[in-house]
Amino acid sequence: MGKFDVDFDGDSAPVLDRIIEAYGFSQKLMLADHLGMAASTLSGRYRRGGFPADIVVRCIADTGVNLEWLATGHGPKFDDQKLDAMSIRRKKLLDGQLFDSGYIMIDKALILPPKPEPVRPILVVDENAQYLIDQEFTEVSDGEWLVQVEGKTSIRTLTRIPIKKVRVSGVGMAFDCGLDDITVLGRIGLTIK
């Protein structure tokens, strides 16, 4: 990390917004709750201006976010050479629909060889399990996948069968269909129960 200029007397809102993003929160109230302060106190920090150094230091300690990005908005959000973790978009699966649910940090050591590190990862929370899913794949093979069947998203086991067909099982009754009859959204690389 090189030298960079920090505006200690400027507007605090952009820095506080980046802090919210680094934690993966979707609302200012979530940050206030995490910091143990009243929402009105955080609102005052937004209005008053000035560099929120105490909150910045705590955010760096909690998330490993890059100081330059947090303070200025420039540079990488996370320095991957120093941090052996990935910031991954988290989604909740409710009634066959995916909903954004912030971000989560995953230690790369959880991905055991020979599985490669996911290229376009998301973490999907479904009832009592969490699934690390790679949305980047070249071919559908046997295994667990995030799929969409008739507009409803779910975790299913896919088994390839001849002539571009697949057996879909895992929820309800298993069925066979053409690979083009379902939308495959990503391959499950890790299940956390």
Side-chain angles (χ1 to χ4, degrees):
M1 177 170 55
K3 294 181 179 182
F4 56 92
D5 293 325
V6 177
D7 184 5
F8 288 101
D9 297 318
D11 186 6
S12 63
V15 176
L16 290 167
D17 288 342
R18 284 189 291 275
I19 290 169
I20 290 170
E21 183 179 338
Y23 276 113
F25 297 147
S26 56
Q27 300 175 357
K28 295 174 185 175
L29 182 58
M30 294 170 80
L31 177 62
D33 288 344
H34 179 74
L35 297 174
M37 66 172 57
S40 60
T41 303
L42 182 61
S43 178
R45 299 289 294 265
Y46 265 85
R47 284 191 315 273
R48 189 170 56 233
F51 189 76
D54 56 330
I55 301 174
V56 166
V57 169
R58 181 162 176 190
C59 180
I60 292 168
D62 288 346
T63 66
V65 72
N66 182 332
L67 173 60
E68 181 180 8
W69 176 82
L70 201 56
T72 67
H74 301 291
K77 186 188 297 188
F78 294 97
D79 185 352
D80 291 332
Q81 294 172 347
K82 292 180 184 174
L83 186 66
D84 204 22
M86 299 180 289
S87 176
I88 298 174
R89 183 177 301 277
R90 187 171 184 252
K91 294 185 176 278
K92 286 187 179 176
L93 184 59
L94 299 170
D95 297 324
Q97 301 296 319
L98 287 174
F99 298 94
D100 286 335
S101 183
Y103 290 83
I104 188 166
M105 298 292 291
I106 297 278
D107 190 332
K108 292 178 184 178
L110 289 172
I111 303 163
L112 301 174
K115 290 187 179 178
E117 188 176 306
V119 177
R120 286 192 320 130
I122 59 170
L123 187 85
V124 174
V125 179
D126 180 24
E127 294 180 7
N128 295 325
Q130 299 184 72
Y131 302 92
L132 180 60
I133 297 171
D134 194 352
Q135 299 174 93
E136 186 78 28
F137 56 92
T138 54
E139 185 178 3
V140 175
S141 58
D142 295 353
E144 285 193 299
W145 294 82
L146 179 66
V147 299
Q148 198 172 55
V149 179
E150 295 184 342
K152 294 291 186 180
T153 303
S154 61
I155 304 295
R156 300 288 187 113
T157 300
L158 301 182
T159 306
R160 291 291 299 256
I161 53 180
I163 316 171
K164 292 193 175 197
K165 292 194 176 196
V166 66
R167 175 162 289 135
V168 181
S169 58
V171 176
M173 185 175 210
F175 62 92
D176 296 348
C177 66
L179 201 48
D180 296 335
D181 295 335
I182 61 173
T183 304
V184 180
L185 303 174
R187 181 179 184 89
I188 296 175
L190 177 68
T191 303
I192 304 168
K193 292 188 179 187

